């Protein structure tokens, strides 16, 4: 169709970029971060401290990640995985380790500020083919950027709302 498509490696700043129709679409920066729809990495906050995600997608239109699997009974998957050790010497997760987190944030005028999160933590002794876990739901109160635990589902299926340690009954609600 005659549109300009280029791949460029800029030696001065150590990045690789992909352009289509004369517009930069994807960039791998000098830190190895993959940036889609943006020229620079944007800091994200978690519990008040910042970090830069290794994959960042920004758009003035639609910013969506779509995964579709066709055929067979198995679903599309998003796997958040955690291990101790290093890539070369992997080690088992331990009780209370965070296994994964999904954070929901909104722009407050100067930063993306945390509103709520869903976290999974190890909830007991880890063994071969055994990863006991708890699922935690958090929301931030007015004038706060740190989500607070509101609901917990433990590895044995107990649910705590406003009460999170030493759950005895299947459902416990702090009033």
């Amino acid at each position: 169709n005659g549109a300009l498509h280029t791949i460029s490696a800029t030696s001065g700043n150590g990045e690789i970029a992909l352009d289509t129709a004369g517009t930069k679409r994807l960039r791998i920066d000098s830190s190895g971060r993959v940036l889609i729809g943006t020229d620079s990495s944007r800091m994200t906050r978690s519990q008040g401290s910042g970090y830069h995600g290794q994959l960042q997608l920004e758009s003035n239109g639609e910013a969506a990640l779509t995964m579709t699997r066709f055929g067979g009974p198995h679903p599309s998957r998003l796997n958040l995985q955690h291990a101790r050790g290093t890539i070369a010497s992997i080690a088992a997760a331990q009780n209370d380790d965070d296994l994964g987190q999904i954070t929901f944030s909104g722009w407050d005028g100067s930063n993306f500020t945390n509103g709520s999160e869903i976290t999974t933590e190890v909830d007991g002794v880890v063994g071969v083919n055994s990863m006991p876990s708890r699922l935690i739901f958090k929301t931030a109160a007015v004038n706060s950027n740190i989500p607070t635990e509101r609901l917990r589902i433990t590895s044995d299926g107990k649910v705590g709302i406003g009460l999170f340690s030493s759950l005895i009954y299947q459902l416990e609600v702090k009033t």
Side-chain angles (χ1 to χ4, degrees):
N1 66 7
L4 176 64
H5 307 288
T6 61
I7 297 175
S8 62
T10 307
S11 61
N13 61 9
E15 73 173 28
I16 297 172
L18 174 66
D19 298 25
T20 62
T23 302
K24 194 161 291 174
R25 306 292 181 179
L26 181 138
R27 173 187 310 248
I28 301 173
D29 72 10
S30 61
S31 296
R33 291 183 288 254
V34 177
L35 310 173
I36 301 171
T38 182
D39 286 336
S40 59
S41 176
R42 188 182 306 274
M43 186 171 63
T44 299
R45 293 193 306 191
S46 178
Q47 304 297 325
S49 63
Y51 64 93
H52 292 264
Q54 289 300 106
L55 173 63
Q56 298 181 34
L57 168 65
E58 294 189 2
S59 172
N60 286 318
E62 189 69 41
L65 176 62
T66 302
M67 299 181 292
T68 305
R69 183 186 189 280
F70 295 97
H74 302 292
S76 297
R77 295 181 173 102
L78 173 63
N79 296 305
L80 306 177
Q81 300 179 135
H82 167 77
R84 295 238 176 172
T86 66
I87 292 172
S89 179
I90 198 166
Q94 296 178 12
N95 191 36
D96 294 326
D97 279 3
D98 289 334
L99 296 179
Q101 175 181 331
I102 301 171
T103 303
F104 303 88
S105 304
W107 188 255
D108 66 5
S110 64
N111 299 292
F112 278 101
T113 299
N114 301 335
S116 58
E117 67 185 48
I118 302 170
T119 304
T120 299
E121 299 174 346
V122 177
D123 193 24
V125 177
V126 173
V128 175
N129 295 318
S130 176
M131 187 61 57
S133 61
R134 59 184 164 258
L135 190 58
I136 298 169
F137 294 83
K138 301 178 180 181
T139 61
V142 174
N143 296 320
S144 176
N145 67 350
I146 300 175
T148 301
E149 184 171 340
R150 308 297 182 182
L151 182 139
R152 173 183 294 217
I153 304 171
T154 64
S155 60
D156 58 357
K158 293 180 176 136
V159 177
I161 300 174
L163 181 70
F164 312 114
S165 61
S166 303
L167 296 176
I168 298 169
Y169 304 103
Q170 283 305 110
L171 174 63
E172 296 191 41
V173 180
K174 181 179 178 183
T175 55

